[in-house]
Amino acid sequence: KYRSGTGHFIDENEIEKRNPLQLTDMIRAVPGVQVIPTPRGDTPFMRGGQAILGNGICRPEVFVDGARVVNDPMFPFNSTVPMTEIRAIEVYPHPALAPAEFKTLSGCGSIVIWTGARQRK
């Protein structure tokens, strides 16, 4: 189950078409998301939130199959789930756009990853 709010949705057809190497390759062009190189690899950031860096951006909350993942800045974002296991992605660049189950406590946006086999077309 996905597509539950008013965010940006990337379905399995788009993933297959773009054939990305990393998760950040899929969300880099989503409005409201900035992918920034860090010592732990490319990391997504969004505007706002309480965990604000010097330039007004924060790390979004991450959910995998509906469960919140610990948002540890030391963990490489692209290691969250291998691209081969990702079926769909929901991106909510602002918490007001997210459905209740993906609202964040930090005031930052959220990224929801759905796993499972993609249909090969």
Side-chain angles (χ1 to χ4, degrees), residues 4 6 10 22 30-31 33 57 61 67 76 87-88 93-95 120:
S4 52
T6 55
I10 302 167
Q22 302 182 94
V30 173
V33 176
I57 58 175
E61 293 288 334
R87 180 173 43 93
H94 190 277
R120 306 281 184 213

Side-chain angles (χ1 to χ4, degrees), residues 1-87:
K1 167 189 170 232
Y2 57 97
R3 294 184 178 242
S4 52
T6 55
H8 186 87
F9 305 99
I10 302 167
D11 64 15
E12 57 192 305
N13 293 330
E14 183 67 17
I15 294 170
E16 285 294 314
K17 183 172 118 184
R18 292 178 53 192
N19 193 25
L21 295 176
Q22 302 182 94
L23 180 53
T24 49
D25 294 338
M26 286 306 303
I27 62 172
R28 183 178 310 277
V30 173
V33 176
Q34 278 184 280
V35 175
I36 299 173
T38 69
R40 304 276 182 224
D42 288 349
T43 303
F45 290 93
M46 297 174 179
R47 296 228 166 264
Q50 297 170 356
I52 294 177
L53 300 179
N55 53 0
I57 58 175
C58 55
R59 277 180 65 111
E61 293 288 334
V62 178
F63 297 81
V64 176
D65 294 333
R68 186 185 310 264
V69 176
V70 175
N71 195 357
D72 182 353
M74 300 308 284
F75 185 78
F77 177 79
N78 281 318
S79 296
T80 304
V81 177
M83 267 317 302
T84 55
E85 296 178 19
I86 296 175
R87 180 173 43 93

Side-chain angles (χ1 to χ4, degrees), residues 87-111:
R87 180 173 43 93
I89 306 163
E90 299 179 45
V91 181
Y92 302 100
H94 190 277
L97 301 174
E101 64 267 33
F102 304 128
K103 295 269 188 219
T104 66
L105 301 175
S106 68
C108 198
S110 55
I111 297 172

